[in-house]
Amino acid sequence: MALIVQKYGGTSVGDQERIRSVARRIRDCRDRGDHIVAVVSAMKGVTNQLIGLAQGASGPEMHPKRELDMLLATGEQTTGALLAMTLHDLNVPAISLTGGQAGIKTDSVHSKARIKYIDPEWIIRPLEVGMVVIVAGFQGQDDNGNVTTLGRGGSDLSAIAIAAATNADLCQIYTDVDGVFTADPRLVPQARKIDEITYEEMLELASAGAKVMQPRSVEYAEKLKVRFEVRSSLNQTEGTIVKEETPTMEQVVVRGVSLDENQAKLTLIDVPDRPGVAAKIFQALDRAAVNVDMIVQNTRHGSAPSTDMSFTVDRHDLATSRRVIEALKPEFGIEKVQVQEKMGKLSVVGVGMKSHSGIAAKIFDILARENVNIDMISTSEIKLSVVISSDRSQQALRAVHAAFLE
Ligand code: ASP
Ligand code: MG
């Protein structure tokens, strides 16, 4: 008998019909003799609706965070109760629990609480008498009994944590896609599902724009050594296994490619080359909550050494970044600020890049053939990213995919 933790995301429980089909899937697994813990998200769109209600009550961002957590937690509880009722209707005994009832203990940081530990007794007991246990995702309880939530997308985190705490045999993340793909199938028709991927690769693809799961929960799974499967709740197809790296996984050079089409690039021309300047510039951006991605600096050695400094930000942060930099211009005597508004970041990811050489040269060669100019380059052990103009970036993505993955 296996213990399986199954997480169902918002689309998978999006309406009554979908909830019924989830209930049937759970029933079938149970009929095969497995113990099932189902971790559920709010029905698609519900969390946003609840946020809208809160704004109606007290204006944007003015509501006490404790009460916002009370409100948002009801989304997952609603799904849990409905799923339990549907299971009863199928003659399957089931009980739904809030995060607190399931023993999920967190700190008191409302709206982005951290899980401290899970006391799994209340999950295990009903399982032992043959019930399906449903746990509301995305929520827990602090030491004073207050309801807390774990940050947007936090049901993934709940599922991983519960799988670790109950020592589950299997953790399945059910969503509306068949798994993790070699590229976004909407941009690359030849993209295919990946059978196995390492935590690290999955995180790199996520940071490069491929959002299948909440990145924090993938980090958490890596830390707790929880192997899990991402798969679709809409069919019976096997999904993608996410796990620690094994030697055979290094044989594949490139696991996947991804594209972030929402980048913008700023270049500061003639920044004085002296200690502390970069610190000041990036501290100012940080204070304005701008998330800087790639940074490149090129020093010119003349009589008054100066440097050109380029960095990329999410396009939504461009206006703020510009304002911050304009304000710093007089203090540092920055000559000019150049802005390229429409940039894309193309990333190539694979643990095999550690042990294979010549990958960078091959990528640059492909881009040259496509007549795509490279603006910036950054590398890590398992990733190479280039910033390119966004009007050519989809074409570049397809060319790189064709070369490595088809
Ligand atoms: N319902 C929450 C959200 O939309 C948590 C989740 O779905 O994972 O962020
Ligand atoms: Mg989600």
Side-chain angles (χ1 to χ4, degrees):
M1 231 186 205
L3 170 56
I4 308 180
V5 173
Q6 301 181 331
K7 182 258 171 176
Y8 291 98
T11 322
S12 303
V13 292
D15 56 38
Q16 279 197 347
E17 204 31 60
R18 290 268 169 90
I19 292 180
R20 189 157 284 270
S21 108
V22 165
R24 282 195 215 101
R25 184 186 292 269
I26 292 174
R27 177 196 57 196
D28 294 347
C29 292
R30 189 173 166 277
D31 286 351
R32 285 196 291 270
D34 293 326
H35 287 305
I36 306 295
V37 178
V39 178
V40 292
S41 281
M43 294 162 80
K44 188 176 168 58
V46 165
T47 305
N48 287 340
Q49 274 166 25
L50 293 170
I51 291 173
L53 286 177
Q55 282 168 357
S58 57
E61 307 297 321
M62 289 304 288
H63 25 265
K65 286 211 154 145
R66 180 191 180 280
E67 302 310 328
L68 184 62
D69 276 0
M70 279 295 272
L71 179 67
L72 294 193
T74 63
E76 271 67 14
Q77 290 168 27
T78 304
T79 314
L82 289 174
L83 179 57
M85 289 172 189
T86 312
L87 281 163
H88 279 272
D89 193 50
L90 298 176
N91 291 318
V92 178
I95 182 172
S96 70
L97 304 172
T98 65
Q101 287 172 335
I104 301 175
K105 304 287 185 203
T106 72
D107 62 21
S108 302
V109 185
H110 286 291
S111 86
K112 44 173 184 280
R114 290 191 170 271
I115 297 178
K116 293 204 292 193
Y117 65 92
I118 297 182
D119 174 3
E121 199 187 321
W122 289 97
I123 298 176
I124 302 290
R125 272 204 214 162
L127 283 178
E128 281 174 351
V129 297
M131 298 180 98
V132 170
V133 178
I134 301 159
V135 181
F138 172 60
Q139 57 178 268
Q141 200 177 62
D142 74 3
D143 287 342
N144 298 318
N146 294 303
V147 173
T148 54
T149 65
L150 309 175
R152 295 306 302 266
S155 299
D156 291 335
L157 195 65
S158 309
I160 299 292
I162 289 171
T166 57
N167 211 355
D169 299 287
L170 198 60
C171 178
Q172 299 176 317
I173 306 288
Y174 282 94
T175 176
D176 52 359
V177 292
D178 285 350
V180 184
F181 278 69
T182 52
D184 184 341
R186 284 167 302 186
L187 303 179
V188 184
Q190 287 82 2
R192 50 190 167 72
K193 191 184 67 202
I194 300 169
D195 293 333
E196 288 184 344
I197 189 169
T198 71
Y199 302 113
E200 238 191 326
E201 289 170 329
M202 173 111 167
L203 282 166
E204 289 285 23
L205 283 173
S207 73
K211 286 182 185 59
V212 190
M213 242 178 110
Q214 188 205 41
R216 197 174 140 204
S217 57
V218 180
E219 283 168 29
Y220 204 66
E222 177 171 25
K223 199 169 101 191
L224 301 179
K225 300 190 167 53
V226 175
R227 187 184 283 220
F228 62 89
E229 179 188 13
V230 179
R231 59 184 290 163
S232 171
S233 65
L234 308 175
N235 56 45
Q236 299 293 334
T237 317
E238 279 179 24
T240 302
I241 304 286
V242 187
K243 58 176 210 172
E244 69 294 346
E245 187 180 328
T246 56
T248 53
M249 293 179 91
E250 264 200 51
Q251 287 163 12
V252 177
V253 183
V254 172
R255 187 83 53 205
V257 295
S258 75
L259 180 63
D260 176 351
E261 293 182 277
N262 285 309
Q263 298 252 315
K265 178 183 164 194
L266 291 100
T267 304
L268 320 187
I269 314 269
D270 258 347
V271 183
D273 187 26
R274 57 167 194 264
V277 174
K280 282 227 169 108
I281 292 173
F282 290 102
Q283 274 159 7
L285 288 163
D286 183 48
R287 274 196 301 275
V290 171
N291 202 344
V292 175
D293 188 3
M294 221 184 270
I295 306 172
V296 169
Q297 154 174 314
N298 245 324
T299 306
R300 242 178 282 145
H301 297 281
S303 48
S306 72
T307 171
D308 292 346
M309 197 183 275
S310 298
F311 60 90
T312 57
V313 296
D314 192 286
R315 198 169 304 136
H316 296 113
D317 285 337
L318 179 58
T320 314
S321 312
R322 249 177 159 157
R323 223 179 308 120
V324 170
I325 300 299
E326 288 297 331
L328 292 174
K329 252 168 117 179
E331 185 184 346
F332 293 114
I334 298 169
E335 255 321 288
K336 217 164 81 189
V337 181
Q338 273 174 3
V339 174
Q340 287 156 279
E341 220 171 297
K342 293 199 171 135
M343 304 305 283
K345 182 174 74 170
L346 168 64
S347 301
V348 181
V349 174
V351 287
M353 289 167 77
K354 288 194 238 181
S355 49
H356 291 77
S357 57
I359 310 303
K362 184 167 171 189
I363 294 167
F364 300 155
D365 186 48
I366 297 161
L367 295 174
R369 280 170 210 267
E370 296 294 319
N371 208 9
V372 170
N373 188 43
I374 302 170
D375 245 88
M376 294 164 98
I377 302 167
S378 95
T379 58
S380 78
E381 252 200 323
I382 68 161
K383 181 173 81 168
L384 186 141
S385 300
V386 291
V387 173
I388 56 187
S389 162
S390 64
D391 53 332
R392 308 299 283 273
S393 59
Q394 294 192 6
Q395 173 197 342
L397 179 75
R398 283 189 284 271
V400 173
H401 190 275
F404 286 102
L405 291 156
E406 287 167 31

